[in-house]
Structures are given as C-alpha cells and as structure tokens.
Amino acid sequence: TAMMVPVLRGWCSRMGFDVAKFGIPLAFSAQLGGGLTLMGSPTNFAARKTYLKCGFQLGFFELTVVAAPLFFLGVIFFAIVAPRMLGGKTSAPTFRRAISAEERDGFFRVGFKISRGAFARGNLKVDKAGFERMVGVGGVKIALREGEQVWPAATDAESEAYRMKAGDVLIFRATAEGIVSLRAQGGLN
C-alpha cells in the first residue's frame, strides 16, 4: 500500500480528484489482492508457519481457492458502491495537474496562483518578492500568465519588465517545509 501512495497522489493530481477519497479503497484493494497468494501478505506467511507446526502443508496458491471469490465480490462491491461514496472531482485549479510532484534532492516543483489584490496590484517584480529568502524555497523558477511562460522571458529586457499580477501562476522549487511556508504566505492560492 505504501508504495502505491505516491502513484495515487500523482494520478489524483493529474485527474483532479481528492487523494484523501482514495486512501481507504487503496488499502482495501491491497488487502483483497494480498489474500490471493501465500506471498501476498505477511499474515499469510505467519499462517503458513502455524500450519507447519500443526503438521499441515500450505502451498503457494492454496489460499487462492478461497480468496478469489472474495476478491471478485470485493471488486463488484467497490465498483458499485465506491462511485457513490467517493463523489466527483474536486475544484482544484487545472494548473496543478500539469505540475510535477516528483522529488529531486528533497525539492518539489509546485505551483501557486496569485490572488487578487496581492503583491501591490501588479507592481512587484518576481525577484523583489523575497520568495528565495523563505526557508526551504529555492525561488520562483517559472511564471505563467494565461498558460504562457512570461518569466523568465526570452530576453533579459522582457524578464526585467515582468510584474506579478493576479491570476499568474508561479512555479517554485521547494522542500516540503518550503511548500508549507508558501501556503501560509498571503496572496498565494
């Protein structure tokens, strides 16, 4: 289950689903699948050891005879019940789906949208905002306006002319601690 959590987070981010709604189904699926073979779960190995002490042999696929029907009942149950319990997509901004949550050297790429009225109404430059002074924040790497990259621009003059405005998306390189700091920063959603 733990190995699939980062995969689940990435998939939910790309598809616009709330990852919290998929934690329990992931755990249940792992339990159902783990019961199919002797190697599927540590509990199965413990049961095998107990069976051996009592003089019985438990083969690799002997659990499958009992577990397979339960597995298929579980799949049918979750196919019918899960959509009603999980609800629909979240209202997460679409730009977050395009941002990679891949970790490199403890840093993630994460995007935040600038709120209305934030940062002196479009008069503040990216390099003057002080983001790079925040603990765990490597500064702004890219700024997007209406889906197009506006900072850093093709020329130094264009980069120098860029001012942050409401609705722009700033993409940061930050640690987990830095992401928490950015979320606490006023003016970023």
Side-chain angles (χ1 to χ4, degrees):
T1 305
M3 289 175 52
M4 290 302 294
V5 170
V7 175
L8 180 68
R9 284 178 138 173
W11 180 82
C12 286
S13 177
R14 283 191 309 275
M15 301 304 291
F17 288 107
D18 183 7
V19 71
K21 293 181 179 181
F22 286 89
I24 294 295
L26 175 66
F28 288 168
S29 301
Q31 266 315 104
L32 287 170
L36 292 173
T37 65
L38 186 60
M39 279 183 66
S41 172
T43 310
N44 298 351
F45 275 118
R48 180 176 185 262
K49 195 171 188 178
T50 304
Y51 267 72
L52 287 174
K53 286 181 183 176
C54 295
F56 297 105
Q57 189 69 17
L58 188 60
F60 189 79
F61 287 108
E62 287 188 40
L63 296 173
T64 307
V65 175
V66 176
L70 294 174
F71 175 80
F72 288 113
L73 283 173
V75 168
I76 292 168
F77 175 78
F78 282 118
I80 294 169
V81 174
R84 290 183 180 93
M85 289 174 45
L86 296 177
K89 293 186 175 187
T90 64
S91 59
T94 55
F95 71 87
R96 287 193 181 169
R97 294 185 205 155
I99 305 303
S100 170
E102 185 177 312
E103 179 184 7
R104 289 200 178 111
D105 301 328
F107 283 83
F108 298 88
R109 287 177 54 127
V110 61
F112 288 92
K113 195 178 229 178
I114 299 175
S115 304
R116 275 182 215 236
F119 305 116
R121 298 198 169 131
N123 294 325
L124 190 60
K125 296 180 181 181
V126 173
D127 54 349
K128 303 290 185 201
F131 295 119
E132 66 280 348
R133 291 189 303 263
M134 297 173 77
V135 176
V137 179
V140 178
K141 299 302 171 192
I142 301 172
L144 304 172
R145 182 173 290 153
E146 297 175 9
E148 298 293 323
Q149 182 174 331
V150 291
W151 188 88
T155 67
D156 289 339
E158 290 174 327
S159 290
E160 182 66 26
Y162 171 71
R163 303 280 197 270
M164 294 186 294
K165 291 185 180 177
D168 288 359
V169 176
L170 303 179
I171 300 174
F172 297 88
R173 186 169 184 263
T175 63
E177 183 181 11
I179 293 170
V180 171
S181 298
L182 287 167
R183 284 188 174 173
Q185 171 74 33
L188 297 176
N189 293 324

